[in-house]
Amino acid sequence: MSKTYKACQSCAMPFKYDPAGGGTEADGTKSVMYCSYCYQDGNFTGDFKTAREMQDFCIKQLVEVKKFPRIIAWFFTRCIPKLERWRGK
Ligand SMILES: [Zn+2]
């Protein structure tokens, strides 16, 4: 049985907030690990090499687009380095 995830394993966004309900694999099936913002057609979008880069990007988005206070944005993104995509990086 494969593991199920409640949130994207790249950016930590809960799948319930993803309008597409998840990213897509190369064969068109839904990804069970990554959201539609991070993962399309079997490839990661954007050019993030480390969890820190992803976290900085997400904080910026939350602050500038969603108008979250910086401390709240940090709170929502603090688990990014522990997600599957960034393990061992
Ligand atoms: Zn994501």
Side-chain angles (χ1 to χ4, degrees), residues 22-78:
T24 48
E25 299 292 349
D27 63 4
T29 58
K30 280 258 181 285
S31 169
V32 294
M33 282 180 72
Y34 303 114
C35 76
S36 63
Y37 296 111
C38 291
Y39 198 66
Q40 292 284 347
D41 303 321
N43 291 302
F44 286 113
T45 62
D47 188 26
F48 302 106
K49 288 177 186 65
T50 63
R52 187 57 201 264
E53 281 180 20
M54 174 58 85
Q55 191 173 5
D56 287 347
F57 174 79
C58 292
I59 289 174
K60 199 164 174 277
Q61 290 292 306
L62 290 170
V63 171
E64 289 178 7
V65 181
K66 305 271 188 196
K67 309 294 178 198
F68 280 32
R70 215 179 154 76
I71 185 74
I72 303 295
W74 171 82
F75 180 81
F76 279 127
T77 58
R78 76 197 190 291

